[in-house]
């Protein structure tokens, strides 16, 4: 087959650019060739044709491997955006009225990803049988480009200006403790009554201070704490609370069964910690492919008021 040349038009240039992106992502010419169903010499010729077209060396090749040049790094960032935009355009034109197909990579927080969000995920997979989902549990914001992630669901404020954040709802939080921790005494009804009790901390959202608001009056109180245990795991926090190790603040939904069964009691019922925003985020530089738009629509429909409500 005759190889595309830059002079033959935009479609051929897109082929060269796509090959370049594949080489970088795959890490070698041979791996890119396997992905493309082409030979290594073919992939090498395409790379050389692109380098001639832009007039700079993009990849430095040696017996020890390959490395992007400075120009290659700049070209790669723009090439990724261009290919993503073209794929979204092509999908929109060709697939009007068709269901999305392919793979969606989503990063979700550990606790929510194991429980609350699996139900809307199931709805998405049932609705779009041509889709596959890689459901990745991680409490940190991913590097969307290097990790190959389509979107992430985040609990808490999103400060990163390089991403688009779509609000899915809010996560209410309450104060709980095991009955044994109260020594069969009355349930505290004001934050000041909580200061004498041992505390647990969820390091992701609070460490040495808890901010509480009265749900009726709006009165705000900041309560200093010295936690006996601090963790970044919502499940570990819940287990420690059930075992009577201390008072804690966390998402209402995770305590619902424990409160019904009497394993935990809500303290200061008229007070809550600030609700945490729940956002779906994706890179600002990318268009939304059909598979991502469908996932966003499903999450919005399945979580109209936020999890646990």
């Amino acid at each position: 087959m005759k190889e595309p040349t830059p002079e033959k038009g935009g479609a051929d240039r897109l082929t060269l650019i796509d090959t370049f992106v594949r080489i970088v992502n795959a890490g070698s010419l041979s791996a890119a060739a396997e992905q493309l169903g082409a030979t290594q010499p073919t992939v090498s010729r395409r790379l050389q044709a692109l380098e001639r077209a832009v007039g700079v060396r993009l990849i430095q090749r040696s017996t020890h491997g390959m490395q992007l040049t400075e120009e290659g790094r700049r070209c790669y960032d723009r090439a990724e955006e261009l290919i993503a935009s073209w794929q979204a355009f092509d999908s929109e034109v060709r697939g009007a009225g068709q269901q999305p197909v392919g793979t969606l990579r989503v990063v979700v927080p550990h606790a929510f990803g194991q429980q609350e969000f699996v139900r809307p995920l199931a709805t998405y997979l049932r609705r779009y049988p041509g889709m596959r989902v890689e459901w990745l549990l991680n409490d940190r914001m991913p590097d969307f480009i290097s990790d190959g992630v389509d979107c992430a669901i985040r609990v808490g404020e999103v400060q990163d200006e390089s991403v688009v954040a779509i609000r899915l709802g809010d996560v209410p939080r309450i104060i709980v403790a095991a009955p044994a921790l109260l020594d069969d005494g009355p349930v505290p009804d004001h934050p000041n009554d909580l200061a004498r009790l041992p505390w647990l901390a969820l390091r992701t959202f609070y460490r040495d201070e808890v901010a509480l608001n009265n749900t009726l009056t709006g009165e705000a109180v900041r309560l200093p704490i010295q936690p006996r245990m601090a963790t970044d795991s919502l499940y570990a926090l819940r287990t420690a609370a059930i075992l009577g190790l201390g008072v804690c603040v966390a998402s209402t939904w995770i305590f619902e069964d424990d409160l019904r069964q009497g394993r935990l009691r809500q303290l200061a019922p008229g007070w809550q910690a600030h609700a945490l925003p729940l956002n779906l985020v994706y890179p600002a530089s990318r268009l939304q492919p059909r598979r991502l738009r469908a996932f966003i629509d499903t999450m919005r429909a399945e979580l109209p008021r936020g999890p646990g409500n």
Side-chain angles (χ1 to χ4, degrees):
M1 179 193 301
K2 187 175 181 181
E3 278 302 297
T5 59
E7 293 76 20
K8 294 185 76 173
D12 287 339
R13 291 201 179 201
L14 276 172
T15 300
L16 302 182
I17 293 170
D18 181 58
T19 299
F20 168 62
V21 170
R22 298 265 194 159
I23 293 170
V24 176
N25 290 341
S28 70
L29 296 176
S30 58
E34 183 176 351
Q35 290 182 10
L36 292 164
T39 66
Q40 184 171 331
T42 295
V43 169
S44 179
R45 284 195 297 271
R46 290 181 186 176
L47 175 59
Q48 292 168 13
L50 180 61
E51 290 177 329
R52 287 195 300 272
V54 297
V56 294
R57 176 65 62 87
L58 301 175
I59 295 177
Q60 193 68 45
R61 299 176 291 282
S62 71
T63 56
H64 301 292
M66 47 169 271
Q67 183 176 346
L68 279 173
T69 63
E70 183 178 346
E71 294 81 3
R73 282 191 293 271
R74 291 199 301 268
C75 182
Y76 173 76
D77 292 338
R78 297 299 300 272
E80 275 256 303
E81 294 177 16
L82 178 60
I83 294 301
S85 298
W86 170 258
Q87 289 174 345
F89 169 77
D90 187 59
S91 174
E92 189 70 32
V93 172
R94 293 175 181 270
Q98 296 180 4
Q99 290 196 337
V101 295
T103 300
L104 186 77
R105 289 172 59 84
V106 186
V107 170
V108 289
H110 272 92
F112 284 90
Q114 293 179 65
Q115 189 169 334
E116 284 291 289
F117 293 153
V118 176
R119 191 167 288 105
L121 169 64
T123 299
Y124 177 76
L125 289 172
R126 292 191 191 104
R127 187 173 295 163
Y128 305 110
M131 284 301 306
R132 300 180 301 277
V133 174
E134 293 188 20
W135 196 245
L136 310 173
L137 303 182
N138 196 315
D139 292 321
R140 294 180 179 148
M141 184 76 82
D143 184 325
F144 289 96
I145 301 300
S146 64
D147 296 339
V149 170
D150 290 287
C151 66
I153 297 174
R154 308 298 303 155
V155 177
E157 296 292 342
V158 177
Q159 306 292 344
D160 189 349
E161 296 182 357
S162 69
V163 301
V164 176
I166 297 177
R167 191 70 163 261
L168 295 177
D170 296 291
V171 181
R173 297 184 295 163
I174 59 174
I175 314 155
V176 301
L181 196 70
L182 305 177
D183 295 325
D184 297 323
V187 174
D189 60 5
H190 192 276
N192 292 339
D193 301 324
L194 304 175
R196 61 180 177 80
L197 296 171
W199 271 82
L200 308 170
L202 186 59
R203 289 172 54 87
T204 314
F205 301 112
Y206 68 95
R207 301 189 180 195
D208 54 14
E209 183 182 72
V210 177
L212 302 172
N213 283 77
N214 188 290
T215 56
L216 294 177
T217 68
E219 180 187 356
V221 171
R222 288 191 172 275
L223 180 67
I225 62 172
Q226 293 183 330
R228 299 181 65 197
M229 169 188 164
T231 179
D232 60 356
S233 167
L234 189 55
Y235 283 130
L237 184 81
R238 169 181 170 268
T239 301
I242 292 173
L243 293 174
L245 297 183
V247 181
C248 69
V249 169
S251 307
T252 305
W253 67 268
I254 201 170
F255 298 132
E256 289 176 344
D257 287 343
D258 301 315
L259 293 169
R260 280 194 293 267
Q261 299 298 324
R263 291 186 292 268
L264 292 173
R265 299 186 70 176
Q266 183 176 356
L267 310 189
W271 297 77
Q272 290 188 353
H274 296 291
L276 297 172
L278 178 69
N279 292 291
L280 187 149
V281 299
Y282 63 90
S285 60
R286 288 188 181 176
L287 297 179
Q288 295 178 23
R290 184 178 296 273
R291 65 182 184 276
L292 177 56
R293 292 202 308 273
F295 183 73
I296 293 171
D297 291 343
T298 300
M299 293 301 294
R300 279 176 157 170
E302 293 291 307
L303 299 170
R305 297 182 304 276
N309 288 328

